[in-house]
Amino acid sequence: MELIFEISKPGRSAVSITASDVPAVNIEDTIGNKYLRSDLDLPEVAEIDLIRHYTNLSRRNFGVDLGFYPLGSCTMKYNPKVNENVAAFPGFTGLHPYADAEFAQGNLQLMYEMQKYLCGIFGMAEFTLQPAAGAHGELTGVMMIKKYFEKKGQKRRVILIPDAAHGTNPASGALCGFDTVELRSNSEGGVDIEHLQSLMTEDVAALMLTNPNTLGLFERNIEKVAAIVHGKDGLLYGDGANANAFLGKTRPGDLGFDVIQLNLHKTFSTPHGGGGPGSGPVGVGKTLVDFLPVPRIVKTGDKYNWSEKFPDTIGRMRSFYGNFNVVVKAYTYIRSLGAEGLKHATEMAVLNANYIKEKLKPYFDLPYDRVCMHECVFSGNRQVVQSGVHTSDIAKRLIDFGYHPPTIYFPLIVHEAIMIEPTETESKETLDAFCEAMIAIAAEAKENPDGVKNAPLTTPVSRLDEVLAARKPDVCWKRTN
Ligand SMILES: *Cc1c(COP(=O)(O)O)cnc(C)c1O
């Protein structure tokens, strides 16, 4: 495909501007010539060519509105269009971020109610909507944990993190100056209780636990885990990125979590990908309420306001009030589904993941063979041994079948991991068609391994140097003629 610069022809334009009927002003007399540029190399194209160029470009992209997108641990949920409609209301988009609370009552009310809904759904005492993403929420949570122990006059140096955890967990701990220590998983994919007991000392500030974890498995011993951590006066941090697996079923607050971050862009259907914007609200139990970021929304009588009067706060985590527009979309999702709807979404997400797990089990290794939650994790080990076809080859071949590949090589504790998360919105027909594609690829891997190793065959470019593209992205076009 040609670049927009390459289709440029001097003199072409996508707009026609009528002749000016005001007297010309001499630039030199006003702002000066030094701001005049003669070297601006902008493409010159007609409107139709411009439209075709960008429409064609957009068709090279893959999104959740285009096809099945089973990326695990990321929850590429369908984004209901009503969310977008509501988020576009002028009252939400037109408000100046510096407007006085008096003029922002409706917006404050929405945030206040959103916090209350999240408290109810997750069993926490209070929520903040400030953090801009899951990882940012983790940082917020760990900063509160740090301040909590400082206030108690205790110097705890360690945060425990299971080996199945998302990489952002140790990063958040380390950013706050903690030593992060790895906690082993047991043979059924849960916390190794004996290992936890041996690591849990009074030097441990918190255990950061993802539940269900990144294997898509619910921690069966969660109450025991909480008791061990609390037994040494440590805190239990919940990575709630996978909260779409238990809405209306259980509440982290009831399970013993002291603090939890959510990912609205995973659990509550707000758009996700391309770097955001996301939203990572953080909920806390009573022990950590005083440390929440400011400003906080307070309600006095019928009036909403901002307040900074919380002396133990960790301070501000985000300019303005977080990604407000994302919150509006998640709020709309919660209001349009209601309690029963959210629970149903969770049930369907779990059912769909188990359906795929059972259908593909004969064809791929399943290292943890038990009922899964919202996602299932296979291993491509059998295919490697059989014919040298790797998980990355299977993922590339899926593109030829019209699917976005699942998450691969994560979690790290599964060799050649293939992590599939269908989400609740996919029909049985879609799941069946995807499984048939996976089964066909498993057969190809046996009979024609080179075909799989050379995939994808249907895309404009095939195998890129992904490391080079990520480390040294070359996105600038320079004129060569
Ligand atoms: C996605 C994810 C995160 C990080 O969330 P971001 O919004 O991408 O920063 C953390 N933990 C788990 C388990 C996740 O799946």
Side-chain angles (χ1 to χ4, degrees):
M1 194 173 151
E2 282 179 309
L3 300 176
I4 187 107
F5 291 95
E6 290 165 335
I7 59 173
S8 171
K9 287 276 176 290
R12 286 215 182 130
S13 170
V15 290
S16 50
I17 301 173
T18 46
S20 171
D21 58 359
V22 293
V25 171
N26 191 343
I27 296 259
E28 227 171 321
D29 301 340
T30 52
I31 54 175
N33 264 341
K34 68 175 171 178
Y35 297 108
L36 257 192
R37 290 187 60 178
S38 57
D39 59 342
L40 256 192
D41 193 7
L42 294 176
E44 298 174 74
V45 286
E47 179 171 328
I48 184 143
D49 296 321
L50 184 73
I51 297 293
R52 284 184 185 150
H53 178 76
Y54 284 108
T55 304
N56 277 314
L57 258 190
S58 74
R59 285 160 50 134
R60 295 273 163 95
N61 209 346
F62 191 92
V64 82
D65 286 358
L66 210 63
F68 188 46
Y69 204 135
L71 208 57
S73 197
C74 290
T75 318
M76 300 304 294
K77 251 182 200 278
Y78 172 67
N79 314 132
K81 299 309 166 227
V82 64
N83 296 358
E84 303 297 323
N85 295 347
V86 173
F89 286 174
F92 295 136
T93 56
L95 187 74
H96 195 283
Y98 283 129
D100 281 345
E102 193 186 336
F103 303 111
Q105 286 296 300
N107 298 42
L108 287 169
Q109 181 182 352
L110 182 139
M111 286 193 270
Y112 186 84
E113 285 180 7
M114 180 68 167
Q115 291 178 182
K116 289 280 169 262
Y117 290 149
L118 295 179
C119 286
I121 297 169
F122 295 97
M124 307 307 287
E126 202 58 74
F127 258 91
T128 173
L129 306 174
Q130 264 190 38
H136 197 206
E138 289 172 34
L139 179 68
T140 305
V142 178
M143 284 171 71
M144 284 192 270
I145 291 171
K146 190 172 177 172
K147 190 123 194 200
Y148 165 82
F149 284 111
E150 272 169 16
K151 183 101 200 286
K152 278 177 63 153
Q154 291 182 10
K155 194 136 185 58
R156 297 193 177 214
R157 288 181 306 117
V158 175
I159 287 195
L160 300 180
I161 299 174
D163 51 13
H166 197 276
T168 50
N169 287 189
S172 301
L175 263 179
C176 290
F178 287 103
D179 294 336
T180 57
V181 174
E182 190 170 283
L183 174 62
R184 270 198 306 270
S185 300
N186 62 20
S187 58
E188 63 161 32
V191 166
D192 182 327
I193 294 289
E194 276 172 25
H195 196 215
L196 174 62
Q197 262 157 344
S198 71
L199 293 176
M200 191 62 216
T201 65
E202 264 144 32
D203 202 20
V204 174
L207 164 63
M208 283 181 96
L209 194 71
T210 311
N211 195 23
N213 65 17
T214 60
L215 294 162
L217 303 174
F218 196 80
E219 176 53 60
R220 285 177 173 154
N221 294 315
I222 183 61
E223 284 166 317
K224 206 184 273 178
V225 168
I228 294 169
V229 173
H230 290 148
K232 299 281 184 208
D233 288 333
L235 295 175
L236 189 57
Y237 179 99
D239 181 331
N242 300 332
N244 58 320
F246 60 77
L247 299 176
K249 294 288 174 183
T250 186
R251 306 194 309 166
D254 302 337
L255 297 174
F257 286 94
D258 300 290
V259 47
I260 175 178
Q261 119 272 345
L262 306 173
N263 297 42
L264 298 187
H265 45 290
K266 293 183 184 175
T267 302
F268 292 103
S269 82
T270 68
H272 180 188
S279 179
V282 173
V284 291
K286 288 209 173 61
T287 37
L288 292 177
V289 167
D290 294 343
F291 305 97
L292 281 167
V294 289
R296 278 165 61 181
I297 308 165
V298 290
K299 188 178 179 191
T300 327
D302 292 339
K303 289 271 180 218
Y304 299 91
N305 214 331
W306 293 111
S307 174
E308 308 238 356
K309 291 188 211 115
F310 298 95
D312 289 331
T313 175
I314 56 165
R316 187 183 264 281
M317 289 303 291
R318 178 72 167 72
S319 55
F320 301 110
Y321 317 116
N323 285 329
F324 173 70
N325 207 250
V326 179
V327 173
V328 176
K329 294 176 194 182
Y331 176 91
T332 308
Y333 183 72
I334 291 173
R335 290 293 303 262
S336 54
L337 263 70
E340 280 308 309
L342 291 176
K343 192 163 140 188
H344 188 235
T346 276
E347 287 168 353
M348 294 310 287
V350 171
L351 180 64
N352 285 355
N354 279 283
Y355 183 75
I356 288 184
K357 171 173 71 67
E358 288 305 310
K359 264 200 115 145
L360 293 184
K361 210 157 96 173
Y363 306 93
F364 295 90
D365 289 349
L366 184 67
Y368 300 96
D369 189 1
R370 48 180 267 212
V371 172
C372 66
M373 301 297 287
H374 60 300
E375 61 196 3
C376 56
V377 183
F378 288 97
S379 161
N381 205 35
R382 188 185 312 176
Q383 283 68 28
V384 177
V385 173
Q386 255 170 15
S387 53
V389 166
H390 286 266
T391 285
S392 54
D393 302 318
I394 295 169
K396 296 286 184 203
R397 186 70 178 125
L398 265 173
I399 298 172
D400 287 332
F401 283 84
Y403 298 109
H404 192 286
T407 294
I408 54 173
Y409 299 106
F410 180 78
L412 304 176
I413 56 173
V414 172
H415 187 55
E416 296 279 329
I418 307 173
M419 175 195 242
I420 301 169
E421 175 171 9
T423 77
E424 77 284 2
T425 44
E426 300 300 338
S427 67
K428 181 173 177 294
E429 291 73 24
T430 299
L431 302 182
D432 284 337
F434 171 75
C435 289
E436 275 155 32
M438 286 291 285
I439 293 166
I441 294 170
E444 277 181 9
K446 246 194 233 168
E447 291 145 21
N448 174 23
D450 283 340
V452 183
K453 285 183 207 171
N454 290 324
L457 307 168
T458 55
T459 48
V461 289
S462 186
R463 297 224 174 182
L464 299 170
D465 186 336
E466 291 170 9
V467 176
L468 192 70
R471 296 257 162 91
K472 291 185 183 163
D474 179 9
V475 291
C476 270
W477 178 82
K478 283 185 202 73
R479 191 177 286 285
T480 49
N481 56 359

